[in-house]
Amino acid sequence: MTKFYQEPALAKKVLIANDNPDIIKVIQAKLKNEYEIIVAVNGQEVLDLAKKNIPNVIVMDYHMPVMNGEEASKRLKADPELQNIPILLLTASLNISRIQVMGVDDYIDILQLMNKIKKWTTDKPDHKSKAS
Amino acid sequence: MSSRFSLNNYHILLRVIAFLLVLECCLVFFGWSFDITVLKSILPGLVAMNPLTALCFLCAGISLLGNRMIRRACASFLLLVGLVKIFDYVLGTNLSLDQVLFSAKLEGNQIAPNTAMEFLFVGAALLLMETKNGLAAGQFLNFIALIIAWTALLGYFYSSVALYRIGLFIPMAVHTAISFICLCAAIFCLKINEGLTRHIVSDDSGGIMARRLIPAVIVIPSLLGWLKLIAQEQGLIEVSSGTALVAVGNILLFGILIWMTTRSISLVEEKHRKTEEARMRLANEVVNVKSEFISVVSHELRTPLTVIKGGIDVVADETLGPLNHDQKDMLDTTKRNVDRLGRLINDVLDFQKLEAGRMVFNFAEHDLNEVVKDTVEEFQAYIKECGLGLQFSCPQEAVRVICDSDKIVQVLTNLLNNAIKFTNKGVISVGIQVGSDGHAKVSVQDQGVGIKLEDKEKLFQTFSQVGDAQTRKTGSSGLGLAIVKRIIEKHDGIIDVESVYGQGSTFYFTLPLKQ
């Protein structure tokens, strides 16, 4: 868990798409010891940074300027180079019926952040996974 | 339209006529006293108004102004005068009721038979209109009286003696005819918004039509007939062409009038329609604003909550450094309350969405066993933590239902949380049964405090508080079961509870099986 135990170059990359600096701060605090974190503040930036860095997983917010999370997810899934990157929708809403149409792979509450990221970056993704 | 024809105007008209009738009586009496022809008969050579007739008009005027008692008394007097005089004419007797006043100066003047008839009708009309069931009949009698008076007046207008004079008896005086017309109008005004006349003053298109056309129906043919008569007397036209011209005139004037009336009715209705449309638009807007409000609020409330939850989590799992016991304890308390706030917000927003019909349901075929089992498994650890036992039973084969699995998970989560909240020790049993009625039944049984019979009714209502203290302690929004009920109803299922107070409750819901 210490910093020099893990080679930075080998660390898995998490792309966080969110326009709220406080949420980014919290996620960074939570993940920075184990993952390399890339931050995008709008949907367009997600597409650009995903192409450049090929992250292991993307944590997507729905409400973002320029391009929202749904549109960005759809475009990522339409790109053959990027379509295998798991997209996790960060939401506090229980009404998550729309994830199938939004093209994201899973939805997470912030408390499940670490578990789900671990799951989606190590295991074979289980597409039937459910949120509690 | 309505302001121009307010009922108040009719009452003013009524009072003015009543006052004029009283005044007329005084003038006629004055005329008889001092032999002033103008007051007695208006034009020299015309028949004078009998003093008793004048007295009757005085009575009629008072009856219009008076209360029920006075009105009845006056109406009875009119009726009596009419009856006695007709009795005289029919049987050839002479009770000489109309010879009592100014008997020295009368010179054979008496009440005309048509005048007597008029008093009979008017008196009966006034009496009938005071009764519950006779209103329409009274108004009809009054209408007949009006027609008789109008006929007499036209007789004077057209110089047709037969119209105002019956046989060789004394004719009705011209101002008697006019007075009757006014009196009948005033009697209509008495109860204008009841019985037959209520359609005339109504605000709808029928009322507009009636108010426009009735005066024209009275005036136009009378006037055209009179013009025709003049023209004939002057030798300008023959009888046949005059009659034809009257017909053409009637067609022309009524055609124009009806067209104008129809147009204004159309305009009024168009206005109504536009108002209605505007109202609908406004209602839609309100719904839109409301749903937008819900979505904005949901986002704005949840975002800071996410930050708080995440922040507490980062500190609590000691990512940022070790914590002592008290610090951890305080963070736990904080976290519990943040979770509670999150649930409350979700409940309120879910409920709003359900109420507005904006909740999206993704119905698909699912194995109910799997859906329930997954949920129960996720609760396993928590139930154990609470010191409770857990039992789960389901049929061997798959239970196929059409449902929104996320919503069913939400329902089960709610029921399980309730079961845990209200149970101190014992076992929580979750079961699935397939009924013979084409429904699958999912039940969640606890061994908790149970529900009193009288509380059962309000359990599924919004903001119901079953056992005040309990509810507050367990921190529910009071919406949970109301939401659950609506979700199950959306699935065409039912939800209910069986409970023995003190021994636990069994909540169950049904879902239709896939055929």
Side-chain angles (χ1 to χ4, degrees):
Chain A
M1 290 285 170
T2 49
K3 271 179 189 168
F4 40 84
Y5 172 80
Q6 207 158 21
E7 286 287 325
L10 294 175
K12 287 174 175 163
K13 286 183 249 180
V14 179
L15 174 56
I16 301 166
N18 208 304
D19 65 326
N20 185 321
D22 290 343
I23 292 183
I24 293 168
K25 188 174 159 188
V26 168
I27 297 176
Q28 271 179 327
K30 183 84 184 170
L31 302 179
K32 69 179 175 193
N33 289 344
E34 293 179 50
Y35 297 94
E36 185 184 333
I37 293 160
I38 305 151
V39 174
V41 295
N42 64 53
Q44 187 56 51
E45 250 185 62
V46 176
L47 298 181
D48 299 342
L49 290 173
K51 216 162 228 167
K52 214 165 93 186
N53 297 295
I54 313 290
N56 297 78
V57 66
I58 297 171
V59 178
M60 186 77 79
D61 184 27
Y62 186 85
H63 296 275
M64 283 188 293
V66 187
M67 187 195 295
N68 69 23
E70 180 172 353
E71 181 63 30
S73 301
K74 281 181 180 159
R75 293 207 188 179
L76 284 165
K77 290 299 172 191
D79 188 326
E81 276 180 64
L82 307 173
Q83 65 185 2
N84 290 325
I85 305 171
I87 302 173
L88 313 181
L89 183 73
L90 182 66
T91 173
S93 167
L94 283 176
N95 190 20
I96 23 63
S97 312
R98 288 188 67 229
I99 66 154
Q100 288 98 331
V101 277
M102 284 178 57
V104 302
D105 297 284
D106 203 350
Y107 50 90
I108 53 170
D109 184 271
I110 195 152
L111 296 181
Q112 309 163 304
L113 194 66
M114 195 61 120
N115 287 342
K116 287 248 171 141
I117 286 177
K118 256 189 195 137
K119 187 168 150 192
W120 281 95
T121 51
T122 52
D123 306 351
K124 282 257 168 200
D126 170 12
H127 283 279
K128 282 195 298 180
S129 97
K130 293 244 171 8
S132 57
Chain B
M1 280 286 166
S2 59
S3 61
R4 250 170 60 199
F5 292 95
S6 81
L7 294 176
N8 202 25
N9 291 352
Y10 291 107
H11 285 133
I12 291 170
L13 179 66
L14 173 71
R15 292 212 179 88
V16 169
I17 291 173
F19 174 75
L20 287 176
L21 288 173
V22 173
L23 182 73
E24 182 188 38
C25 170
C26 299
L27 290 175
V28 170
F29 273 21
F30 196 72
W32 280 105
S33 305
F34 300 99
D35 290 321
I36 305 167
T37 313
V38 165
L39 295 181
K40 285 194 294 183
S41 45
I42 302 197
L43 290 176
L46 286 182
V47 71
M49 190 192 282
N50 184 281
L52 187 63
T53 306
L55 186 69
C56 285
F57 280 127
L58 175 75
C59 254
I62 292 167
S63 94
L64 292 175
L65 297 172
N67 61 19
R68 279 187 107 171
M69 281 284 294
I70 294 173
R71 190 173 303 154
R72 279 193 186 147
C74 293
S76 306
F77 178 69
L78 297 185
L79 188 68
L80 187 75
V81 170
L83 271 176
V84 168
K85 198 64 209 168
I86 287 170
F87 188 76
D88 271 359
Y89 280 118
V90 171
L91 298 180
T93 56
N94 195 354
L95 295 174
S96 303
L97 199 63
D98 46 359
Q99 308 299 312
V100 178
L101 297 163
F102 301 98
S103 46
K105 299 180 178 175
L106 281 175
E107 298 167 352
N109 185 302
Q110 50 178 321
I111 292 180
N114 40 357
T115 306
M117 190 74 88
E118 286 283 80
F119 281 127
L120 182 70
F121 283 162
V122 167
L126 277 170
L127 283 174
L128 274 172
M129 280 169 72
E130 287 302 308
T131 64
K132 221 175 202 174
N133 300 319
L135 178 63
Q139 285 172 327
F140 184 72
L141 272 184
N142 190 43
F143 174 68
I144 301 285
L146 182 66
I147 293 297
I148 293 173
W150 191 257
T151 310
L153 185 67
L154 278 190
Y156 279 103
F157 235 132
Y158 291 9
S159 311
S160 161
V161 178
L163 291 184
Y164 57 88
R165 182 174 186 175
I166 293 176
L168 293 173
F169 298 115
I170 189 165
M172 186 192 283
V174 64
H175 42 327
T176 304
I178 294 170
S179 301
F180 272 123
I181 290 165
C182 294
L183 176 60
C184 291
I187 290 172
F188 278 131
C189 290
L190 266 180
K191 297 201 170 171
I192 192 88
N193 56 345
E194 293 170 56
L196 304 179
T197 46
R198 71 174 188 277
H199 306 294
I200 294 170
V201 288
S202 72
D203 266 338
D204 56 23
S205 27
I208 296 170
M209 188 89 144
R211 289 192 294 268
R212 281 278 181 93
L213 295 183
I214 285 174
V217 164
I218 297 167
V219 173
I220 293 174
S222 309
L223 206 64
L224 286 178
W226 182 66
L227 286 175
K228 175 201 163 205
L229 200 65
I230 301 273
Q232 273 170 0
E233 278 171 1
Q234 300 289 319
L236 295 174
I237 47 174
E238 301 162 31
V239 176
S240 54
S241 47
T243 311
L245 280 177
V246 168
V248 169
N250 277 329
I251 290 167
L252 183 73
L253 291 174
F254 277 106
I256 292 171
L257 192 73
I258 289 170
W259 174 78
M260 281 169 65
T261 311
T262 316
R263 195 189 58 153
S264 55
I265 287 170
S266 298
L267 289 176
V268 167
E269 280 180 358
E270 199 174 315
K271 211 171 109 192
H272 281 190
R273 208 168 46 243
K274 276 185 182 154
T275 323
E276 192 54 34
E277 277 167 13
R279 221 203 318 272
M280 292 288 287
R281 260 204 311 280
L282 191 70
N284 281 339
E285 232 164 74
V286 168
V287 169
N288 287 339
V289 166
K290 199 173 165 191
S291 86
E292 196 180 328
F293 171 77
I294 293 168
S295 96
V296 168
V297 166
S298 86
H299 181 232
E300 294 304 317
L301 286 177
R302 280 170 177 151
T303 305
L305 209 59
T306 303
V307 177
I308 296 168
K309 257 160 68 173
I312 292 169
D313 185 46
V314 170
V315 178
D317 71 3
E318 303 185 313
T319 309
L320 304 177
L323 298 172
N324 66 31
H325 177 267
D326 288 347
Q327 287 169 329
K328 274 187 180 167
D329 188 47
M330 187 53 69
L331 272 181
D332 257 7
T333 308
T334 313
K335 185 171 173 300
R336 231 182 21 250
N337 281 279
V338 171
D339 284 348
R340 182 175 158 184
L341 183 61
R343 277 200 309 276
L344 291 179
I345 292 171
N346 281 333
D347 276 1
V348 169
L349 295 172
D350 273 358
F351 186 71
Q352 280 279 24
K353 273 191 201 158
L354 279 165
E355 285 291 272
R358 306 231 160 208
M359 180 73 89
V360 184
F361 284 81
N362 291 321
F363 289 106
E365 192 182 330
H366 292 279
D367 178 3
L368 192 60
N369 284 346
E370 239 172 72
V371 176
V372 176
K373 207 169 125 195
D374 284 353
T375 316
V376 171
E377 269 169 13
E378 291 196 12
F379 266 88
Q380 212 161 18
Y382 179 48
I383 290 174
K384 208 174 163 188
E385 218 175 276
C386 297
L388 302 170
L390 176 66
Q391 275 178 3
F392 176 64
S393 64
C394 67
Q396 295 272 308
E397 63 279 7
V399 180
R400 314 302 305 181
V401 291
I402 303 286
C403 69
D404 181 335
S405 61
D406 290 322
K407 297 291 191 302
I408 296 304
V409 169
Q410 190 181 343
V411 168
L412 267 173
T413 304
N414 191 295
L415 295 183
L416 279 166
N417 271 325
N418 280 347
I420 295 164
K421 261 189 266 178
F422 291 104
T423 309
N424 292 326
K425 64 173 194 188
V427 178
I428 291 167
S429 316
V430 180
I432 306 171
Q433 289 150 17
V434 175
S436 52
D437 59 345
H439 280 75
K441 180 171 160 185
V442 180
S443 58
V444 177
Q445 185 179 12
D446 66 50
Q447 298 182 323
V449 290
I451 298 149
K452 287 181 192 160
L453 200 63
E454 64 262 34
D455 288 337
K456 220 184 103 175
E457 291 293 305
K458 36 183 182 165
L459 207 58
F460 292 97
Q461 289 168 12
T462 51
F463 303 110
S464 70
Q465 302 242 311
V466 175
D468 258 358
Q470 286 283 14
T471 314
R472 218 160 284 143
K473 192 184 85 189
T474 51
S476 92
S477 63
L479 284 171
L481 283 175
I483 293 170
V484 162
K485 185 172 194 271
R486 281 167 173 74
I487 290 174
I488 294 301
E489 280 168 356
K490 270 277 181 186
H491 285 82
D492 294 327
I494 55 159
I495 184 160
D496 209 346
V497 61
E498 286 161 5
S499 181
V500 178
Y501 187 61
Q503 288 178 33
S505 318
T506 306
F507 282 85
Y508 62 88
F509 63 87
T510 63
L511 294 175
L513 288 165
K514 188 177 186 284
Q515 299 302 321

